[in-house]
């Protein structure tokens, strides 16, 4: 698949230029375990931005994010750039979003731009620049399957759903790697759950809030009604959790069991999915 | 692919001479030696998949004679028990709401679908944690729902909103205490579903508004904060230490 090469190219951009000044892994873990009062104050009141800002300066020192954190936050930044510009363009497009639905997308637009801002602030000079996007999913051709995304509201909503569900899986997949860095982990999780709220809302909106399958807030099996997004939902029909076949330990039906657990994607899987959006 | 969780479960469930140093270390931090408590008949239809913990081995939460529960967050087991407690609360709430005689009259058909799905998801989460924790699980909790008017749409939905938002913030805030990457991965699989619930419930309360996601960053609340908020809805007292 040609996307593999391109995905690797995107990954190349994540390599920090400040490797020689990075703290050692052991130091980073030790420092990650020490939670400064400022960080905790930010977390308690839910102001993760303050916590993130405090992280980059106090926990690790300016410009000294550990390599793994740098890579994951830059990965997240690419996805947030992708989402933010998508909603910015959608909101600006004339006659695209009906007035009745505008508050939904204004809310999401605001959040994604906020996520971009704070990831950039946290990464500082290590933040990768915003790529050029092709929202037609055409690798820069502008003629991909979603070519009418900013003139056809149905397409716009479908792409929004794919972005949000992908974002949820992307953050989820990185959480274990952030484990040694407790404050970064918590910050990422507080974004992760907001992406899930977005996903649920867009999914229900696509069904005009009738809540009929598959246009519900949650993902049933690996089902998608959006052609070309099969990879976004691959594996969501998993019924083995923590080594347990969950169909054997409850009376809940398998359909609802697949809905009850969202599944992660690896960084490579996510980059392969979004690659045709990146010029 | 063998998940770290699977590995840990195998460690917990393994026996005797094959116990590795890793397992010894895990158990030393995971539990409270010699605190075995019998909870006969408390597991309902749940089948325990982990082997019984041997006498004298760590068993997780300490339960006092009055039913008071102490969760030790230096143990992954008790962080999972914390999640199990919250899932018990949520499951009991939706089961009660859906079985109320007024359920089909106070909620439109699409709203019933939402609430019944959420009920099933919470029951699934509860049963999963019960099975995964096996003999280390805390007892069944007793709900205290006297303040909720289950025949009143707004009362049910506002309580649901409280529980879902609280659940999201609880997972977000508890992740930092987990030491096993597999357990963290599992918590991540569940918390985003709780967030989907929160968005849907909030939308039922205020449709097509921005209320489904009130902030760009969700809260990550401490277990102390969450347990204080949940306390009015649970008969048993739950205390957390080492968090």
């Amino acid at each position: 698949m040609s996307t593999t090469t391109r995905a690797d190219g995107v990954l190349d951009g994540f390599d920090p230029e400040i490797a020689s000044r990075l703290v050692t892994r052991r130091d980073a873990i030790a420092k990650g375990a020490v939670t400064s009062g400022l960080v905790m104050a930010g977390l308690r009141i839910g102001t993760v931005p303050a916590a993130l800002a405090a992280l980059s300066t106090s926990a690790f020192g300016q410009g000294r994010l550990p390599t793994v954190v740098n890579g994951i936050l830059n990965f997240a930044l690419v996805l947030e750039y992708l989402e933010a510009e998508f909603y910015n363009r959608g909101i600006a497009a004339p006659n695209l979003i009906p007035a009745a639905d505008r508050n939904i997308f204004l809310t999401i637009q605001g959040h994604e731009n906020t996520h971009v801002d704070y990831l950039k602030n946290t990464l500082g000079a290590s933040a990768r620049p915003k790529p050029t996007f092709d929202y037609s999913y055409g690798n820069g051709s502008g003629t991909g399957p979603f070519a009418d995304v900013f003139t056809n509201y149905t397409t716009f909503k479908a792409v929004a759903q794919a972005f949000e569900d992908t974002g949820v899986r992307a953050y989820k997949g990185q959480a274990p790697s952030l484990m040694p860095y407790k404050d970064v982990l918590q910050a990422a999780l507080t974004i992760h759950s907001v992406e899930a709220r977005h996903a649920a809302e867009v999914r229900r909106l696509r069904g005009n809030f009738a809540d009929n399958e598959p246009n519900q807030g949650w993902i049933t099996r690996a089902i998608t009604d959006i052609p070309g997004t099969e990879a976004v939902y691959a594996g969501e029909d998993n019924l083995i959790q923590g080594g347990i076949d969950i169909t054997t330990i409850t009376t809940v039906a398998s359909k609802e069991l697949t809905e009850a657990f969202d599944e992660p994607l690896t960084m490579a899987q996510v980059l392969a999915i979004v690659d045709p959006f990146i010029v | 692919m063998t998940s770290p969780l699977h590995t840990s479960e195998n460690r917990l469930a393994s026996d005797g001479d094959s116990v590795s140093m890793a397992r010894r270390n895990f158990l030393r931090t995971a539990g409270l030696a010699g605190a075995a408590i019998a909870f006969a008949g408390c597991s309902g239809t749940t089948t325990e998949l982990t082997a019984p913990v041997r006498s004298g081995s760590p068993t997780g939460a300490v339960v006092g004679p009055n039913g008071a529960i102490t969760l030790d967050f230096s143990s992954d087991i008790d962080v999972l028990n914390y999640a199990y407690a919250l899932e018990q609360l949520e499951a009991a709430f939706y089961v009660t709401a859906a079985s109320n005689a007024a359920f089909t009259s106070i909620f439109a058909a699409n709203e019933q679908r939402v609430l019944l799905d959420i009920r099933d998801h919470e029951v699934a989460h509860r049963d999963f944690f019960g099975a995964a924790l096996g003999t280390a699980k805390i007892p069944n909790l007793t709900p205290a729902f006297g303040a909720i008017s289950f025949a009143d749409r707004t009362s049910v939905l506002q309580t649901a909103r409280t529980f879902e938002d609280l659940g999201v913030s609880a997972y977000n805030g508890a992740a930092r205490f987990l030491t096993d990457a597999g357990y963290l991965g599992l918590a991540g699989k569940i918390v985003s579903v709780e967030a989907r619930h929160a968005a849907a419930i909030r939308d039922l309360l205020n449709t097509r508004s921005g209320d489904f996601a009130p902030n760009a960053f969700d809260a990550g609340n401490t277990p102390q904060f969450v347990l204080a908020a949940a306390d009015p809805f649970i008969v048993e007292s739950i205390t957390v230490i080492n968090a």
Side-chain angles (χ1 to χ4, degrees), chain B residues 80 121 123:
Chain B
L80 299 184
H121 303 162
V123 169

Side-chain angles (χ1 to χ4, degrees), chain B residues 7 12 156 175-176 186 201 206:
Chain B
T7 304
L12 280 172
V156 172
R176 63 190 304 116
L186 274 169
I201 293 292
N206 193 3

Side-chain angles (χ1 to χ4, degrees), chain B residues 77-103:
Chain B
I77 294 298
D78 272 4
V79 179
L80 299 184
N81 264 320
Y82 169 64
Y84 180 45
L86 296 174
E87 298 293 353
Q88 284 194 46
L89 176 64
E90 288 186 307
F93 168 74
Y94 289 105
V95 167
T96 304
S99 61
N100 189 282
F103 181 73

Side-chain angles (χ1 to χ4, degrees), chain B residues 15 17 21 40 46 51-52 60 69 78 91 96 107 112 114 122-123 139 143 145 164 173 177 188 220 222 229:
Chain B
D15 197 11
D17 299 334
M21 274 310 293
T46 301
I69 294 167
D78 272 4
T96 304
F107 291 111
Q112 292 178 42
V114 169
E122 305 298 8
V123 169
F145 291 154
E164 298 297 345
F177 296 103
T222 65

Side-chain angles (χ1 to χ4, degrees), chain A residues 36 38-43 47-56 58 122 183-184 187:
Chain A
S36 74
L38 178 57
V39 170
M40 280 310 294
L43 291 173
T47 54
V48 174
L52 278 170
L55 273 179
S56 61
S58 70
T122 302
D183 297 323
V184 184

Side-chain angles (χ1 to χ4, degrees), chain A:
Chain A
M1 214 165 138
S2 65
T3 51
T4 304
T5 307
R6 292 182 55 85
D8 290 342
V10 172
L11 270 175
D12 288 343
F14 297 156
D15 292 338
E17 298 170 5
I18 54 169
S20 63
R21 293 193 289 120
L22 290 174
V23 292
T24 67
R25 176 176 171 79
R26 190 175 60 182
D27 284 349
I29 292 171
K31 289 177 180 176
V34 175
T35 306
S36 74
L38 178 57
V39 170
M40 280 310 294
L43 291 173
R44 282 201 194 94
I45 58 173
T47 54
V48 174
L52 278 170
L55 273 179
S56 61
T57 55
S58 70
F60 301 115
Q62 189 73 42
R64 289 175 180 271
L65 289 174
T67 306
V68 64
V69 174
N70 194 312
I72 291 171
L73 295 188
N74 262 312
F75 166 67
L77 180 57
V78 170
L79 300 178
E80 299 289 358
Y81 277 139
L82 178 67
E83 291 182 309
E85 183 169 313
F86 172 74
Y87 293 111
N88 291 345
R89 291 178 62 174
I91 292 290
N95 305 316
L96 178 68
I97 302 173
D101 297 349
R102 213 161 165 81
N103 278 338
I104 293 171
F105 287 108
L106 284 169
T107 297
I108 299 177
Q109 177 200 23
H111 293 172
E112 308 301 10
N113 281 281
T114 300
H115 296 163
V116 167
D117 288 345
Y118 286 105
L119 287 169
K120 283 173 67 176
N121 287 344
T122 302
L123 286 159
S126 301
R128 78 189 313 280
K130 184 173 71 64
T132 301
F133 296 119
D134 172 7
Y135 289 101
S136 83
Y137 210 49
N139 258 321
S141 71
T143 58
F146 307 131
D148 62 352
V149 65
F150 295 121
T151 55
N152 183 327
Y153 188 46
T154 300
T155 306
F156 179 80
K157 287 183 290 185
V159 174
Q161 176 183 315
F163 282 162
E164 298 297 341
D165 279 333
T166 300
V168 174
R169 301 190 71 176
Y171 276 98
K172 196 188 316 297
Q174 296 310 308
S177 297
L178 290 174
M179 199 163 201
Y181 316 103
K182 302 299 186 187
D183 297 323
V184 184
L185 169 67
Q186 184 160 323
L189 288 173
T190 64
I191 296 176
H192 166 251
S193 57
V194 171
E195 302 292 345
R197 289 173 186 262
H198 295 170
E201 184 73 3
V202 174
R203 295 177 64 89
R204 297 182 63 243
L205 170 64
R206 288 187 63 246
N208 201 26
F209 300 99
D211 298 293
N212 289 312
E213 294 173 21
N215 303 120
Q216 299 174 301
W218 22 91
I219 300 165
T220 301
R221 296 199 176 93
I223 294 172
T224 175
D225 61 348
I226 307 168
T229 63
E230 290 77 12
V232 175
Y233 299 97
E236 287 283 4
D237 53 353
N238 179 33
L239 287 166
I240 307 295
Q241 301 296 348
I244 298 173
D245 178 350
I246 54 175
T247 63
T248 66
I249 52 96
T250 183
T251 57
V252 175
S254 63
K255 181 177 76 68
E256 283 76 20
L257 287 175
T258 68
E259 296 167 355
F261 294 82
D262 281 341
E263 299 296 324
L265 286 174
T266 65
M267 193 181 286
Q269 286 173 315
V270 171
L271 290 172
I273 287 170
V274 302
D275 180 75
F277 287 114
I278 299 172
V279 176

